């Protein structure tokens, strides 16, 4: 919040006023993009001139949006913008930076300044996650670390802030001085300095020295103890305090990676002659090194090791820009063409390895985005990375990357192409059969063309699954459960239609405790795909016990006959299994009743082949206040039954009864675990959980547009008649894809170009018709949103007179699934 009048801002900037000088609006924020203007009366629009766009050309648009204060550096006719005041300066960006520096000087709070080549945003976000429970922290939004982003970030500091965390990035010499003058960090953190953004520097040392300028007035700087870091720091700041860390080396803090298991690493920390062990919820080198930076800050700032372990255990991975798509020949495509420096390649390789989970890998990689003085060493590193990940096939694109030829493992099949176009002409695309394919290319190589060629073309409709939104929803529910309570995620029915394997991989990376499927085949598919999390099978039946044991699946025991068959098989074959007892407390579906508990105990008390992991039940109406008395009755009944069984068997299993609706409404019944289902996908039937994000968006394309005259009809049975000359678009989706006939004849509207249009006529098996008469510029091939963030699936469910579960699970398997990670 800037909290300055326009005249006060002009005085700071030493500008010249123009326009309506009788007004003096209070300015709380700035905007440089007219698409992001809100509370316009509090906004000053900053007209920035860039290579492609000049903000002065958007002043009228900002004015029409309600803005009445403007910062400009070009002469314009201000008289046409009545009731507006203009501050005229020589350079709007430089003036914005001056204003931000003045804003920073108003607040005497600790400011953590973070710079480096990689890891700035992750470390910033993690420190915010860790410290926000202790302090009111202002921080850089997203990756706002540029000459424009830094001043915008500083404006987030306000009277309520008692700390700020600001990141700064540079791409050429003499840029950091201005950022340092804006931020004035009191504490400095240097992250990894690598090849990213090296084009403007003659050497890595020159780049590092430029970055270290950011810490000119910092009391202490925290960084990894490398030879280069230490040499440059001592050259620039021989007297300044430093706090260093290393892995198996020297420094104020020394980390040793003792053990990596599942999705956690056990770390030994040596500090002040004392050794401590903690667990970190990551195994990747990149994430571990960023975690070490955060832990080093916590140690320096005086946190106790017990506090640190608790804080670090809650860290969540920061989203990456990855897109997963189904490719031809049963392949999975990972599209990551955001950048191509060596560090981003390392991150992408790590993601591909996780996705592959033992399957065949194909890497398609271009030469680096730009040559640097370290190109040779970067290619040496690339060789090491490729040999380490050991793909079946490596395909290189570009002239410089040909230096890898003959230097990769003999087991890796290699192909090299001069350009993207030569790859498209010469590649045998059957090479990707049954593979996970990573495409990592610099933007100039237009790898999106390769993605387009390799993508599965079975159908023009698609279900887009936003894995970043899914992770957001998971984290939201995680924030609502008690410490020590685990989460079991329901991914039955192909994860509510979104694709169980892809969703399970994300959940495994996020560290959920359990997965749950409906039938054994679903569990086996997950095991074959490399999912190692515990998996409970709800409808385990009586005929698949052998396969349960073989694939390490955990059955739900819900009936006497099923229990006895399981005991008999295990006894005969000298096998053991983990299992879960289901109790019927009022759902009256599956599960043991109270009068069956005595015999259940008798059958299991001397058993050594079944380990009872949990006891659970289902609530019949947790999402509606109307049934709260019944929910409380069920929970009390469940506790009584569970206690009787636990006492009788002398065990202490986990208990769980809450579903998505119950997690927020009945926190007193969270016990040791909760079960998350439809809430993960963005819908809370109870309405108690806000800020859930849309995970699934169903899309199609326009196949044909026709103009019909008044009186003509559309579709089978002539159910819709044109009342005027109309443009009718046929779109590539029908009831065989999951768009039911109930949505026809104006009952549902789809989105085209952001506007709602009616479905007209009856929905056909493979096609649907919509009226696009009032949509200007619509063309064949345009994208159509059937449901998504705006036209929500729960509203479509109302049209169907059903629930969102049925909308999602009804999407046909012939509709291709596309996975997005931001």
């Amino acid at each position: 919040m800037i909290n300055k009048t326009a005249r006060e801002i002009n005085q700071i900037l030493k500008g010249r006023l123009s326009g309506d000088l009788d007004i003096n609006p209070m300015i709380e924020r700035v905007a440089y993009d007219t698409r992001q203007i809100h509370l316009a009366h509090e906004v000053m629009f900053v007209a920035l001139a860039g290579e492609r766009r000049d903000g002065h050309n958007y002043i009228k648009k900002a004015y029409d949006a309600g803005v009445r204060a403007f910062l400009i550096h070009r002469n314009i006719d201000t008289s046409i913008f009545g009731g507006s005041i203009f501050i005229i300066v020589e350079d709007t960006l430089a003036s914005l930076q001056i204003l931000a520096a003045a804003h920073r000087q108003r607040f005497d709070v600790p400011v953590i300044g973070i710079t480096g080549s990689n890891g700035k945003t992750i470390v910033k976000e993690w420190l915010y996650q860790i410290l926000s429970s202790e302090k009111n922290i202002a921080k850089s939004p997203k990756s706002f670390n540029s000459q424009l982003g830094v001043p915008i970030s500083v404006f987030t500091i306000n009277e309520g802030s008692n700390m700020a965390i600001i990141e700064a990035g540079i791409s050429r010499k003499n840029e950091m001085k201005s950022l340092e003058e804006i931020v004035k960090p009191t504490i400095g953190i240097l992250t990894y300095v690598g090849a990213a953004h090296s084009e403007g520097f003659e050497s890595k040392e020159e780049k590092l020295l430029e970055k270290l300028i950011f810490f000119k007035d910092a009391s202490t700087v925290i960084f990894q103890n490398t030879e280069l870091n230490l040499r440059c720091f001592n050259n620039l700041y021989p007297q300044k305090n430093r706090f260093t860390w290393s892995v198996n080396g020297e420094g104020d803090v020394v980390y040793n990676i003792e053990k990596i298991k599942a999705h956690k690493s056990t770390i030994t920390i040596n500090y002040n002659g004392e050794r401590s062990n903690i667990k970190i919820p990551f195994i990747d080198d990149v994430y571990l090194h960023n975690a070490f930076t955060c832990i080093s800050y916590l140690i320096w700032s005086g946190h106790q090791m017990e506090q640190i372990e608790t804080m670090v255990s809650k860290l969540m991975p920061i989203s990456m820009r990855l897109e997963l798509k189904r490719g031809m020949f049963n392949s999975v495509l990972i599209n990551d063409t955001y950048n191509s420096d060596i560090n981003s390649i390392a991150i992408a390789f790590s993601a591909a390895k996780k996705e592959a989970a033992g399957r065949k890998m194909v890497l398609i990689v271009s030469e680096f985005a730009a040559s640097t003085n370290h190109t040779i060493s970067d290619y040496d590193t690339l060789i090491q990375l490729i040999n380490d990940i050991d793909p079946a096939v490596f395909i290189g694109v570009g002239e410089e990357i040909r230096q890898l030829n003959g230097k990769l493992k003999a087991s890796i099949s290699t192909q090299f192409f001069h350009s993207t176009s030569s790859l498209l002409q010469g590649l045998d695309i059957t090479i990707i059969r049954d593979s996970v394919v990573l495409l990592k290319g610099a933007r100039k190589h237009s790898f999106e063309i390769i993605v387009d060629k390799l993508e599965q073309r079975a159908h023009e409709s698609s279900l887009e699954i936003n894995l970043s939104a899914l992770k957001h929803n998971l984290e939201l529910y995680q924030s609502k459960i008690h410490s020590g309570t685990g989460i079991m995620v329901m991914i039955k029915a192909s994860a509510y239609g979104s694709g169980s394997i892809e969703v399970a991989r994300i959940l495994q990376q996020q560290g959920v405790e359990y997965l749950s499927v409906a039938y054994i085949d679903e569990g086996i598919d997950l095991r074959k795909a490399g999912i190692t999390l515990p998996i409970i099978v709800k409808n385990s039946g009586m005929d698949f016990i052998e396969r349960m044991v073989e694939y390490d699946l955990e059955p739900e025991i819900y009936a006497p006959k099923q229990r006895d068959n399981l005991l008999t098989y295990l006894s005969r074959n000298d096998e053991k299994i983990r299992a879960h007892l289901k109790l019927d407390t009022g759902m009256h579906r599956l599960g043991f009743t109270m009068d069956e508990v005595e015999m259940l105990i008798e059958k299991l008390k001397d058993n050594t082949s079944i380990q009872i992991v949990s006891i659970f039940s289902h609530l019949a109406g947790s999402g509606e206040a109307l049934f709260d008395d019944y929910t409380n009755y069920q929970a009390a009944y469940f506790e009584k039954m569970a206690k009787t069984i636990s006492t009788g068997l002398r065990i202490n299993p986990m208990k769980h009864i809450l579903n998505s609706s119950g997690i927020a409404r009945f926190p007193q019944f969270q016990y040791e675990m909760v079960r998350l289902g439809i809430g993960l996908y963005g819908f809370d039937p109870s309405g108690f959980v806000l800020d859930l994000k849309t995970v699934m968006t169903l899309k199609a394309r326009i196949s044909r547009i026709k103009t019909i005259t008044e009186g003509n009809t559309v579709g089978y049975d002539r159910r819709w008649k044109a009342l005027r000359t109309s443009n009718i678009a046929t779109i590539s989706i029908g009831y065989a894809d999951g768009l039911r006939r109930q949505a026809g004849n104006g009952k549902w509207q789809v989105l085209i170009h952001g506007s709602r249009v009616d479905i007209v006529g009856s929905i056909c098996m493979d096609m649907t018709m919509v009226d696009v008469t009032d949509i200007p510029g619509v063309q064949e091939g345009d994208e159509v949103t059937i449901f998504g963030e705006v036209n929500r699936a729960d509203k479509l469910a109302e049209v169907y007179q059903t629930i969102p579960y049925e909308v999602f699970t009804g999407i046909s398997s012939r509709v291709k699934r596309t996975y997005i990670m931001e």
Side-chain angles (χ1 to χ4, degrees):
M1 304 288 282
I2 297 173
N3 198 29
K4 294 282 185 185
T5 66
R7 288 184 178 275
E8 288 173 328
I9 292 174
N10 182 63
Q11 189 173 4
I12 292 169
L13 301 181
K14 298 179 172 57
R16 177 169 58 88
L17 293 176
S18 180
D20 188 346
L21 302 185
D22 292 330
I23 68 169
N24 188 25
M26 178 64 71
I27 305 302
E28 298 294 356
R29 59 187 60 82
V30 299
Y32 55 91
D33 186 337
T34 55
R35 295 167 297 182
Q36 298 174 354
I37 291 173
H38 61 282
L39 298 176
H41 65 284
E42 299 178 351
V43 168
M44 178 175 71
F45 180 75
V46 181
L48 298 172
E51 293 181 4
R52 296 185 179 182
R53 291 184 175 88
D54 186 344
H56 295 81
N57 297 330
Y58 294 85
I59 289 175
K60 184 179 185 306
K61 196 168 185 179
Y63 179 83
D64 291 342
V67 176
R68 293 298 180 264
F70 299 86
L71 181 66
I72 63 174
H73 67 252
R74 291 189 179 167
N75 291 323
I76 66 168
D77 183 4
T78 61
S79 64
I80 63 176
F81 301 104
S84 297
I85 190 166
F86 290 77
I87 302 172
I88 305 172
V89 294
E90 290 186 3
D91 185 323
T92 47
L93 177 58
S95 294
L96 184 66
Q97 293 176 341
I98 292 169
L99 182 61
H103 182 80
R104 164 68 180 95
Q105 291 173 11
R106 292 166 52 193
F107 303 99
D108 185 18
V109 298
V111 176
I112 301 174
I114 304 174
T115 192
S117 301
N118 298 88
K120 298 184 293 292
T121 301
I122 292 176
V123 170
K124 176 202 69 188
E125 294 294 338
W126 279 356
L127 286 176
Y128 178 81
Q129 287 180 26
I130 289 168
L131 299 172
S132 57
S133 61
E134 300 177 352
K135 300 178 183 296
N136 186 3
I137 301 174
K139 69 180 179 71
S140 305
K142 302 179 182 178
S143 297
F144 278 34
N145 55 40
S146 65
Q147 297 291 311
L148 171 61
V150 168
I152 297 298
S153 299
V154 166
F155 289 135
T156 65
I157 306 174
N158 57 47
E159 284 75 8
S161 305
N162 46 34
M163 175 176 274
I165 309 176
I166 308 294
E167 60 174 294
I170 53 171
S171 57
R172 57 180 62 90
K173 290 185 288 186
N174 303 318
E175 283 189 334
M176 191 58 88
K177 182 176 183 294
S178 61
L179 300 186
E180 188 278 333
E181 291 172 349
I182 296 168
V183 179
K184 291 293 180 185
T186 59
I187 304 148
I189 292 179
L190 179 69
T191 64
Y192 177 76
V193 177
H197 313 297
S198 293
E199 294 87 345
F201 301 94
E202 295 179 3
S203 68
K204 191 173 182 178
E205 182 170 348
E206 183 181 65
K207 180 170 69 171
L208 178 54
L209 287 168
E210 177 72 13
K211 288 182 178 293
L212 287 171
I213 292 171
F214 193 46
F215 307 131
K216 174 175 170 286
D217 290 327
S219 62
T220 301
V221 182
I222 299 167
F223 57 90
Q224 185 179 6
N225 187 6
T226 67
E227 187 276 330
L228 179 62
N229 286 351
L230 205 58
R231 172 161 46 85
C232 290
F233 186 87
N234 287 334
N235 286 344
L236 203 59
Y237 304 120
Q239 304 300 320
K240 191 181 291 290
N241 293 329
R242 83 284 311 270
F243 191 82
T244 63
W245 64 269
S246 71
V247 179
N248 301 325
E250 296 181 353
D252 295 295
V253 184
V254 178
Y255 300 95
N256 301 97
I257 303 171
E258 300 292 339
K259 186 178 181 182
I260 294 178
K261 184 178 181 182
H263 306 285
K264 294 183 179 180
S265 301
T266 301
I267 307 298
T268 297
I269 301 176
N270 297 275
Y271 174 62
N272 269 351
E274 296 184 2
R275 291 167 59 90
S276 305
N277 289 319
I278 70 168
K279 288 184 170 60
I280 297 178
F282 304 103
I283 61 175
D284 295 335
D285 286 343
V286 172
Y287 277 124
L288 285 175
H289 278 235
N290 289 325
F292 296 157
T293 299
C294 294
I295 294 169
S296 298
Y297 169 81
L298 293 173
I299 292 172
W300 170 84
S301 59
H303 289 79
Q304 299 301 308
M305 206 58 67
E306 294 80 10
Q307 289 178 287
I308 292 173
E309 181 164 21
T310 300
M311 291 171 164
V312 172
S313 68
K314 297 178 181 178
L315 289 178
M316 300 290 180
I318 304 301
S319 297
M320 295 169 57
R321 299 172 176 90
L322 291 178
E323 185 180 47
L324 280 70
K325 296 185 174 185
R326 292 198 184 279
M328 301 171 69
F329 309 116
N330 194 37
S331 64
V332 174
L333 308 180
I334 304 177
N335 179 21
D336 183 18
T337 56
Y338 177 68
N339 54 27
S340 66
D341 63 86
I342 191 64
N343 301 297
S344 70
I345 286 175
I347 293 172
F349 279 12
S350 177
K353 191 172 183 178
K354 284 182 182 178
E355 179 65 27
R359 290 177 292 171
K360 173 185 173 185
M361 271 192 294
V362 175
L363 305 181
I364 305 178
V365 180
S366 81
E367 61 193 356
F368 294 122
S371 299
T372 71
N373 288 341
H374 304 288
T375 297
I376 295 176
S377 62
D378 284 345
Y379 280 110
D380 288 340
T381 303
L382 180 58
I383 292 168
Q384 295 173 15
L385 289 171
I386 296 167
N387 285 332
D388 182 59
I389 199 172
D390 195 21
V393 179
F394 176 83
I395 299 170
V397 178
E399 297 300 330
E400 290 185 356
I401 205 167
R402 286 177 170 270
Q403 62 189 277
L404 274 62
N405 196 7
K407 298 179 182 179
L408 300 180
K409 284 181 179 179
S411 60
I412 302 173
S413 173
T414 59
Q415 297 183 43
F416 293 91
F417 296 91
H418 295 285
S419 63
T420 297
S421 59
S422 63
L423 179 147
L424 293 171
Q425 295 172 9
L427 180 67
D428 177 4
I429 60 175
T430 61
I431 200 170
I432 71 170
R433 187 182 303 277
D434 300 321
S435 299
V436 171
V437 183
L438 171 68
L439 297 102
K440 183 68 176 170
R443 290 183 178 179
K444 70 174 184 178
H445 288 288
S446 303
F447 267 26
E448 64 272 12
I449 303 173
I450 305 174
V451 175
D452 187 64
K453 180 172 182 176
L454 300 182
E455 188 178 356
Q456 187 181 60
R457 294 295 181 191
H459 204 283
E460 284 294 329
S461 59
S462 66
L463 184 66
E464 183 178 283
I465 297 97
N466 189 324
L467 297 177
S468 296
L470 184 142
K471 289 165 65 177
H472 164 86
N473 295 342
L474 174 63
E475 291 165 8
L476 194 59
Y477 276 99
Q478 286 173 327
S479 71
K480 296 183 179 301
I481 63 174
H482 303 316
S483 175
T485 298
I487 290 185
M488 175 187 294
V489 177
M490 319 303 288
I491 56 171
K492 57 187 179 179
S494 190
Y496 294 73
S498 65
S500 57
I501 292 173
E502 289 80 4
V503 170
R505 288 198 178 106
I506 290 295
L507 296 173
Q508 183 163 274
Q509 293 169 22
Q510 294 296 107
V512 303
E513 283 70 24
Y514 256 89
L515 300 178
S516 177
V517 297
Y519 294 100
I520 188 171
D521 289 350
E522 295 174 312
I524 291 173
D525 286 344
L526 292 176
R527 288 287 183 248
K528 289 181 176 179
I531 302 301
T532 59
L533 284 173
I535 300 172
I536 182 173
V537 180
K538 293 290 188 181
N539 302 296
S540 49
M542 295 181 283
D543 302 322
F544 307 106
I545 300 171
E546 182 178 358
R547 301 188 79 195
M548 284 273 188
V549 175
E550 178 184 357
Y551 285 97
D552 190 25
L553 302 174
E554 302 177 14
E556 169 187 303
I557 302 177
Y558 52 78
K561 187 174 181 180
Q562 178 219 21
R563 170 202 63 205
D564 294 344
N565 283 351
L566 183 59
L567 285 168
T568 299
Y569 172 86
L570 295 172
S571 176
R572 285 177 180 172
N573 294 277
D574 193 27
E575 297 278 10
K576 296 182 184 296
I577 200 167
R578 291 159 55 93
H580 305 257
L581 290 179
K582 182 171 186 177
L583 308 181
D584 184 359
T585 59
M587 187 79 158
H588 302 313
R589 197 170 56 178
L590 300 176
F592 291 93
T593 58
M594 181 64 89
D595 59 2
E596 294 172 323
V597 165
E598 184 177 349
M599 180 57 69
L600 176 66
I601 294 172
E602 184 65 27
K603 290 278 188 176
L604 295 179
K605 68 179 181 180
D606 296 323
N607 145 76
T608 58
S609 56
I610 299 178
Q611 178 189 351
I612 302 302
V613 180
S614 78
I615 300 175
F616 71 101
S617 187
H618 274 82
L619 296 174
S622 63
E624 297 189 37
L626 176 67
F627 303 124
D628 282 358
D629 287 345
Y630 193 68
T631 295
N632 286 304
Y633 159 77
Q634 277 193 272
Y637 196 43
F638 170 69
E639 289 177 5
K640 180 180 179 181
M641 292 179 71
K643 183 176 181 180
T644 301
I645 294 169
S646 299
T647 302
L649 296 179
R650 297 181 181 179
I651 59 175
N652 186 29
M654 294 186 292
K655 300 186 297 296
H656 48 103
I657 196 171
L658 295 182
N659 56 6
S660 295
S661 296
I663 290 173
R665 297 195 69 234
F666 298 96
Q668 68 271 33
F669 303 139
Q670 288 184 1
Y671 305 129
E672 290 78 28
M673 192 152 62
V674 296
R675 301 189 299 270
L676 180 58
I678 194 68
L680 183 69
Y681 305 96
F683 294 91
D684 172 32
S686 73
F688 265 61
V689 181
L690 304 177
D691 299 324
L692 290 170
K693 291 187 177 181
T694 299
V695 171
M696 287 185 269
T697 302
L698 182 61
K699 296 180 177 181
R701 291 199 175 273
I702 296 177
S703 303
R704 179 74 191 272
I705 300 174
K706 286 186 176 181
T707 300
I708 64 172
T709 56
E710 180 182 348
N712 276 293
T713 60
V714 172
Y716 288 119
D717 302 322
R718 307 190 70 192
R719 294 183 184 274
W720 186 86
K721 181 183 290 187
L723 301 179
R724 58 176 177 169
T725 298
S726 303
N727 295 328
I728 304 301
T730 300
I731 62 176
S732 59
I733 193 168
Y735 62 76
D737 303 300
L739 181 59
R740 293 188 188 177
R741 287 168 60 86
Q742 292 103 309
N745 286 302
K747 299 292 194 307
W748 184 245
Q749 294 179 316
V750 301
L751 287 184
I752 299 177
H753 293 189
S755 299
R756 298 176 185 268
V757 298
D758 285 335
I759 293 176
V760 296
S762 298
I763 292 174
C764 309
M765 180 179 286
D766 310 300
M767 293 169 281
T768 298
M769 288 69 72
V770 297
D771 184 355
V772 296
T773 308
D774 298 322
I775 307 298
V778 65
Q779 298 180 21
E780 293 173 1
D782 283 354
E783 185 177 83
V784 182
T785 300
I786 312 303
F787 64 71
E789 188 173 0
V790 177
N791 49 345
R792 290 167 52 88
D794 54 343
K795 298 302 180 184
L796 180 57
E798 292 176 7
V799 173
Y800 292 168
Q801 296 185 330
T802 185
I803 54 179
Y805 305 68
E806 199 168 341
V807 174
F808 293 143
T809 58
I811 303 302
S812 168
S813 60
R814 77 178 188 177
V815 175
K816 67 183 178 183
R817 269 66 172 171
T818 299
Y819 299 89
I820 304 297
M821 285 187 68
E822 297 172 355

